[in-house]
């Protein structure tokens, strides 16, 4: 059974779910017996032999063995991420032959004949880079510009490319599409982190650019991607009402007269360079960690504590728990959360205390009080 040449040259990133499941089910289980290949090298007849042929280090293999459940899936992922052009179906079949796994090889060829070996991603091969690498590529930004501003676009592309960013435009589109709107829309919205708009009077006079600009703006609002659009004011023009609230990055010529470094600001907006960082979550929590210590310190004490990731961090400790009673001069407050039962003797003592307090406040008023007999005596005298 022979495979089509296009299938053999396809990247392993295009393998279907059925193909990946087949490889995992047959190669994840370790084989005790080894095999000496035609090159005279002894290899394991499972995922370990495939990892060795994919130039995966022994340290990574040990990590895969102890941490990964789907070991073949991780091997394929690391092999593809090398991006050296070796992760193809043809090389996979050759490696299976070197580790004496003709059974797996035959099953993959059967899937290829049944058109089940690869995913149908023909519609996603849009750019020249997609065809070169055999799989859809991701870009940091898609650039919309008028042909009259092409010189500035070339300058922009060179500056950001030198910093490690990848940008694309209509120039990257493969020829042969009946209409450019459908493939370019999919490229902009699904495969580009940002959309750079190079504003100029000619930009606003081009209907196609206005269409893609409105499409990108609508996608940014729908998916709440505030930084999807990066408007660059290259040549001064009056923007439409719905674009005036965006903050524009203004290009000043000559550049040495500019109030800021235009290219640095653009690169900072595009960053980070690693496209995989879009899947990471940014933690906005404070770096200060508050922990409670049972020491006798009544103030805040800075201590050194290890972060879960192993980073030393300055932390704040809560003051120690107060004693059961706190003295404020002669006043003493009992800090007892429980309400104890009151005996008759304790009630009697509290009554005496209340009586003494009453005498303290009302004793000075006694000279001003008159008994009933005194009041009657005064009435008789008056009469």
């Amino acid at each position: 059974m022979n495979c089509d040449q296009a299938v053999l040259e396809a990247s392993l990133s295009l393998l279907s779910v059925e193909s990946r499941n087949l490889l995992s089910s047959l190669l994840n289980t370790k084989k005790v017996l080894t095999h000496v290949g035609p090159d005279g090298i002894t290899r394991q007849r499972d995922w370990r032999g495939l990892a060795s042929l994919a130039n995966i280090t022994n340290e990574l293999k040990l990590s895969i063995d102890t941490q990964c459940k789907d070991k073949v899936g991780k091997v394929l992922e690391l092999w593809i991420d090398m991006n050296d052009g070796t992760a193809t179906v043809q090389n996979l079949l050759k490696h299976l032959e070197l580790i004496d796994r003709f059974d797996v090889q035959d099953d993959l060829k059967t899937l290829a004949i049944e058109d089940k070996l690869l995913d149908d991603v023909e519609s996603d091969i849009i750019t020249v880079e997609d065809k070169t690498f055999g799989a859809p590529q991701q870009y940091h930004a898609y650039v919309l510009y008028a042909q009259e501003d092409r010189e500035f676009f070339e300058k922009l592309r060179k500056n950001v490319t030198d910093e490690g960013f990848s940008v694309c435009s209509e120039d990257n589109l493969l020829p042969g599409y009946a209409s450019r709107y459908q493939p370019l829309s999919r490229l902009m919205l699904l495969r580009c982190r940002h959309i750079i708009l190079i504003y100029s009077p000619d930009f606003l006079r081009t209907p196609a650019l206005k269409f893609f600009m409105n499409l990108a703006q609508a996608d940014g609002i729908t998916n709440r991607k505030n930084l999807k659009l990066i408007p660059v004011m290259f040549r001064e023009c009056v923007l439409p009402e719905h674009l005036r609230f965006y903050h524009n990055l203004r290009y000043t010529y000559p550049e040495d007269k500019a109030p800021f470094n235009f290219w640095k600001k653009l690169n900072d907006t595009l960053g980070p360079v690693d496209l995989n960082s879009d899947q990471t979550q940014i933690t906005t929590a404070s770096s200060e960690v508050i922990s409670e210590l049972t020491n006798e310190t009544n103030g805040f004490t800075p201590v050194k504590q290890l972060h879960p990731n192993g980073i030393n961090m300055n932390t704040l400790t809560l003051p120690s728990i107060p004693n059961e009673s706190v003295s404020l001069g002669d006043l003493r407050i009992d800090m007892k959360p429980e309400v104890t039962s009151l005996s008759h003797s304790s009630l009697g003592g509290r009554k005496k205390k209340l009586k003494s307090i009453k005498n303290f406040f009302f004793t000075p008023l006694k000279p001003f009080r008159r008994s009933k007999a005194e009041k009657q005596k005064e009435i008789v005298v008056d009469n």
Side-chain angles (χ1 to χ4, degrees):
M1 293 183 294
N2 295 323
C3 298
D4 185 82
Q5 188 62 31
V7 174
L8 293 175
E9 294 176 357
S11 170
L12 294 181
S13 61
L14 303 180
L15 287 176
S16 64
V17 175
E18 186 174 353
S19 301
R20 292 174 180 269
N21 290 339
L22 172 68
L23 289 169
S24 298
S25 62
L26 296 178
L27 295 178
N28 274 341
T29 305
K30 290 183 178 181
K31 299 292 184 181
V32 177
L33 299 178
T34 58
H35 174 70
V36 181
D39 52 2
I41 299 177
T42 303
R43 300 182 181 88
Q44 289 89 359
R45 301 177 60 252
D46 47 49
W47 67 270
R48 293 171 295 175
L50 182 62
S52 300
L53 290 167
N55 295 323
I56 295 175
T57 62
N58 291 328
E59 291 79 7
L60 283 176
K61 285 197 293 184
L62 180 61
S63 175
I64 294 171
D65 193 17
T66 57
Q67 299 179 11
C68 299
K69 185 176 180 180
D70 182 11
K71 299 171 177 52
V72 175
K74 188 63 177 179
V75 169
L76 293 177
E77 178 185 340
L78 294 174
W79 191 8
I80 294 169
D81 288 344
M82 291 179 187
N83 204 16
D84 56 0
T86 61
T88 62
V89 174
Q90 186 172 19
N91 286 333
L92 174 61
L93 296 176
K94 289 181 179 179
H95 292 349
L96 292 173
E97 185 175 341
L98 287 174
I99 63 175
D100 192 33
R101 294 307 299 269
F102 291 94
D103 56 329
V104 184
Q105 187 187 74
D106 291 339
D107 289 343
L108 290 179
K109 288 181 178 179
T110 301
L111 289 177
I113 294 175
E114 297 174 353
D115 291 331
K116 297 179 180 179
L117 181 67
L118 305 176
D119 283 331
D120 184 14
V121 294
E122 183 179 355
S123 59
D124 288 330
I125 304 300
I126 299 172
T127 65
V128 177
E129 292 78 15
D130 296 345
K131 188 173 181 62
T132 301
F133 293 100
Q137 302 298 299
Q138 298 292 322
Y139 300 90
H140 290 92
Y142 185 94
V143 185
L144 286 171
Y145 68 97
Q147 288 300 320
E148 291 80 1
D149 304 322
R150 185 176 183 82
E151 184 177 352
F152 176 73
F153 162 70
E154 296 292 349
K155 185 176 182 179
L156 182 147
R157 179 164 59 180
K158 182 180 184 306
N159 275 275
V160 298
T161 302
D162 290 344
E163 295 296 325
F165 297 103
S166 58
V167 298
C168 63
S169 66
E170 189 175 350
D171 301 338
N172 298 74
L173 186 67
L174 285 170
Y177 285 98
S179 172
R180 59 177 177 170
Y181 290 98
Q182 195 260 355
L184 285 183
S185 299
R186 192 165 63 254
L187 176 64
M188 287 172 50
L189 303 183
L190 301 180
R191 310 244 303 271
C192 296
R193 181 191 290 170
H194 299 288
I195 309 296
I196 298 177
L197 310 172
I198 301 180
Y199 286 146
S200 69
D202 294 300
F203 181 97
L204 298 178
R205 284 195 289 264
T206 307
L209 294 178
K210 292 174 67 176
F211 167 80
F212 289 122
M213 175 185 63
N214 294 333
L215 180 66
Q217 185 191 23
D219 178 70
I221 295 174
T222 302
N223 297 316
R224 299 181 180 180
K225 298 178 181 178
N226 297 328
L227 291 179
K228 183 73 174 179
L229 294 181
I230 303 179
V232 174
M233 183 61 73
F234 173 56
R235 289 189 288 142
E236 199 66 34
C237 57
V238 180
L239 297 175
E241 189 70 28
H242 64 283
L243 295 176
R244 292 178 186 175
F245 63 88
Y246 284 99
H247 175 67
N248 299 323
L249 184 59
R250 294 183 176 274
Y251 177 78
T252 304
Y253 184 82
E255 295 180 8
D256 56 353
K257 302 294 184 181
F260 57 88
N261 189 327
F262 172 84
W263 301 112
K264 182 180 184 305
K265 200 164 187 178
L266 177 60
N267 292 334
D268 291 343
T269 308
L270 287 173
V273 176
D274 185 10
L275 285 169
N276 294 327
S277 62
D278 287 344
Q279 278 69 40
T280 62
Q281 295 180 352
I282 300 175
T283 304
T284 58
S286 171
S287 60
E288 296 293 339
V289 177
I290 298 177
S291 59
E292 184 177 347
L293 300 182
T294 57
N295 53 18
E296 298 299 328
T297 308
N298 290 329
F300 289 98
T301 305
V303 299
K304 289 290 184 179
Q305 181 173 333
L306 285 179
H307 189 272
N309 294 333
I311 304 172
N312 286 329
M313 303 172 62
N314 288 329
T315 65
L316 295 178
T317 62
L318 291 175
S320 59
I321 300 173
N323 298 327
E324 289 190 358
S325 61
V326 178
S327 177
L328 297 176
D330 294 332
L331 179 64
R332 192 172 185 85
I333 304 174
D334 291 332
M335 307 290 289
K336 296 182 178 179
E338 299 89 359
V339 178
T340 57
S341 60
L342 300 177
S343 62
H344 292 288
S345 60
S346 62
L347 287 174
R350 293 194 178 189
K351 287 181 179 179
K352 289 180 181 180
K353 288 182 180 180
L354 292 174
K355 186 175 181 181
S356 62
I357 293 173
K358 181 178 179 183
N359 292 337
F360 173 79
F361 283 106
F362 294 101
T363 299
L365 299 178
K366 283 186 177 180
F368 301 97
R369 292 184 176 180
R370 292 175 295 174
S371 64
K372 187 175 181 181
E374 290 176 347
K375 289 182 180 180
Q376 291 178 352
K377 186 176 180 181
E378 286 183 2
I379 295 173
V380 172
V381 172
D382 291 340
N383 290 335

